[in-house]
């Protein structure tokens, strides 16, 4: 897990309660919205000890334009947002839970390296390889999304995932310094 997520490393074995609720997850991977046109998205859902975990990964988030922007001194924000919805028979579906993870990516001109910073400004990764940065920020593993008790067993649910890469504002850059 990234940036202080406290999910333990667990095996991917579905527990009996999850198997009993497979109807709940019939359409769990229905929605994936990606903010980068070239990105490919993979989502996986598992449960253990009464908690629903999500693995979400996007590839192709970074392109030559982002590398140019970073080299010119413009930092970027990478954000992953997951939303679990309950499908309802009425007009509107119900949002069950929303969670997100975000980091900033900077390029240091002096030592020609990229850094990934969390919201508090702590360095999570520093390397000279942009591909390594993309791999690090392009997904989360065993993200503890919600408790199985939060889901109604007779309802269908689906998961929306959004991956975004955008430049930081001037104020956000000042806060990082």
């Amino acid at each position: 897990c990234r940036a202080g997520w406290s999910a333990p490393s667990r095996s991917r074995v579905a527990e009996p309660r999850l198997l009993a609720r497979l109807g709940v997850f019939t359409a769990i991977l229905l929605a994936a919205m990606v903010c980068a046109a070239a990105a490919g998205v993979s989502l996986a859902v598992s449960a253990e000890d009464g908690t629903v975990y999500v693995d979400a990964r996007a590839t192709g988030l970074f392109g030559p334009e982002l590398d140019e922007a970073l080299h010119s001194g413009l930092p970027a924000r990478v954000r992953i947002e997951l939303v679990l919805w309950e499908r309802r028979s009425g007009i509107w579906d119900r949002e069950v839970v929303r969670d997100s993870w975000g980091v900033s990516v900077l390029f240091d001109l002096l030592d020609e390296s990229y850094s990934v910073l969390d919201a508090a400004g702590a360095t999570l990764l520093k390397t000279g390889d942009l591909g390594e940065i993309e791999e690090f920020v392009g997904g989360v593993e065993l993200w503890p999304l919600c408790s199985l008790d939060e889901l109604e067993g007779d309802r269908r649910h689906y998961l929306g995932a959004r991956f975004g890469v955008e430049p930081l504002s001037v104020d956000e850059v000042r806060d990082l310094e």
Side-chain angles (χ1 to χ4, degrees):
C1 292
R2 308 267 199 260
W5 287 100
S6 60
S9 177
R10 301 192 181 274
S11 65
R12 304 298 306 263
V13 178
E15 65 180 35
R17 282 181 64 191
L18 177 64
L19 295 176
R21 293 184 181 199
L22 275 181
V24 171
F25 292 101
T26 303
I28 194 91
L29 302 180
L30 177 67
M33 299 175 293
V34 180
C35 292
V41 176
S42 65
L43 298 172
V45 178
S46 62
E48 189 169 329
D49 298 330
T51 301
V52 176
Y53 294 97
V54 175
D55 291 352
R57 176 142 312 274
T59 56
L61 285 175
F62 291 5
E65 298 85 14
L66 179 66
D67 193 29
E68 288 177 28
L70 290 169
H71 276 98
S72 68
L74 183 65
R77 176 190 303 116
V78 178
R79 183 173 165 86
I80 301 170
E81 184 175 42
L82 297 176
V83 184
L84 183 64
W85 294 89
E86 176 186 292
R87 185 168 303 277
R88 301 181 114 175
S89 59
I91 296 176
W92 306 107
D93 291 346
R94 182 178 74 91
E95 183 179 305
V96 177
V97 66
R98 176 183 301 261
D99 204 357
S100 63
W101 180 80
V103 294
S104 300
V105 178
L106 304 142
F107 181 75
D108 186 331
L109 294 169
L110 296 178
D111 65 4
E112 295 186 358
S113 66
Y114 300 92
S115 296
V116 177
L117 307 176
D118 66 10
T123 302
L124 304 174
L125 177 66
K126 188 168 185 166
T127 180
D129 181 13
L130 185 59
E132 191 176 335
I133 295 291
E134 182 177 14
E135 173 69 23
F136 182 79
V137 302
V140 291
E141 297 171 356
L142 292 175
W143 181 327
L145 188 61
C146 67
S147 166
L148 278 174
D149 295 333
E150 295 178 51
L151 307 177
E152 295 184 35
D154 61 339
R155 305 261 183 172
R156 291 181 179 217
H157 293 76
Y158 61 96
L159 180 67
R162 187 179 129 188
F163 295 79
V165 179
E166 61 188 18
L168 293 177
S169 70
V170 173
D171 291 334
E172 291 169 321
V173 172
R174 270 192 234 128
D175 289 344
L176 287 175
E177 296 170 348

